[in-house]
Amino acid sequence: MTDQAFVTLATNDSYVKGALVLGSSLRSANTTKKLVVLVTPQVSDSMKKVLHKVYDEVKQVDVLDSGDSAHLALMQRPELGITLTKLHCWTLTHYSKCVFMDADTMVLTNIDELFEREELSAAPDPGWPDCFNSGVFVYRPSIETYNNLLQFATERGSFDGGDQGLLNSFFSSWATSDINKHLPFVYNLSTVSTYSYLPAFKAFGANAKVVHFLGRIKPWNYTFDTKTKCVREMHQPMVVHPEFLNLWWDTFSTRILPLLTEHGVVKDASSGLKAEEITEAVSQLSIAAPVPSMSSEERKERWEQGQMDYLGEDSFENIKRRLDTFLK
Ligand code: UDP
Ligand code: GLC
Ligand code: MN
């Protein structure tokens, strides 16, 4: 099918790593659809070359940013205004139907059957299931829809400052009008659900088709040990089900790292890197992608509003470490 495509977005080299793993996972699952990645001018030329190895089309678009810090702060993700750039996916009118997938998703199996669905089909958001999650959705490219979305964004804004708030207000009948537009959750299994509803994950997790590393900390913020095939140095004190994270990294180190080495993105272009050297190269990559930081003023404000990052920076371990420095 040449008039149907999977589409993703990367506005910087960190998200390109995600896009490469996603594209590679779709190829391994033998998709018959085209693969398209939207990039912005911030993406480096060498990363664009590597993207061409995995994607059929690498299309440059302009950044669209909501600049809506108030709403983004509410969801604790000031960096997500840029996700409005996603709207460009409606301009790919040389395709009749597409499936958009966030760069922090990966497929575990062939999901070409999604193209039987209509616009706008998506899975429920794990945080507010009457909204759909905009990390995976089926849509029909159309300039008219694109213009309407832009107009809607200008006039009404987005309740979360990013694309998901806007798309949910625009396709507002999703929750109630047609059950066929509700994708089963296994098409967008967010890794946060593995600890928010563990029994369901135990019962149904094996049917997962798409995993979504939703949240501030992404797989490329970790370091991977290629010998044990496990993620090292967990940012979160407790990753309940590291198997998806390990799978992402396994794909990255076996399929993507050789491409990066070939294109000189990772130093040492020599073939046959030893395991330790690969680990070294991989850890260099993870250092290049620090977790987006928050000012201490912002953290204080969130703490006071009862929104502590209890699995991350405000974890018990970190608080204890801080108290220990005072006691010393
Ligand atoms: N994205 C991007 N650059 C950014 C932030 C986001 O390219 O700086 C794109 C990328 O495709 C990403 C999507 O927008 O997967 C949505 O952002 P993210 O996945 O971080 O949001 P989450 O799913 O964690 O809410
Ligand atoms: C979400 C979605 C993501 C979207 C973001 C901003 O949590 O997972 O795809 O870009 O919200 O609206
Ligand atoms: Mn995402």
Side-chain angles (χ1 to χ4, degrees), residues 8-12 15 77 79-80 82-83 86 100-104 163 212-216 218:
T8 190
L9 162 72
T11 67
N12 57 48
Y15 278 92
R77 301 287 300 278
E79 75 278 17
L80 288 187
I82 200 162
T83 65
K86 220 186 251 188
F100 181 91
M101 300 184 75
D102 267 9
D104 61 342
D163 63 289
H212 185 181
F213 298 93
L214 188 151
R216 202 164 56 90
K218 300 301 183 195

Side-chain angles (χ1 to χ4, degrees), residues 70-124:
H71 283 142
L72 285 165
L74 263 181
M75 66 173 206
Q76 306 192 21
R77 301 287 300 278
E79 75 278 17
L80 288 187
I82 200 162
T83 65
L84 287 188
T85 310
K86 220 186 251 188
L87 301 183
H88 280 292
C89 73
W90 264 274
T91 65
L92 298 169
T93 51
H94 46 303
Y95 300 104
S96 63
K97 198 186 275 183
C98 295
V99 172
F100 181 91
M101 300 184 75
D102 267 9
D104 61 342
T105 60
M106 76 184 285
V107 306
L108 307 177
T109 177
N110 186 295
I111 54 164
D112 287 356
E113 70 275 11
L114 281 185
F115 288 82
E116 289 160 23
R117 307 265 180 164
E118 264 315 316
E119 176 173 284
L120 185 290
S121 294

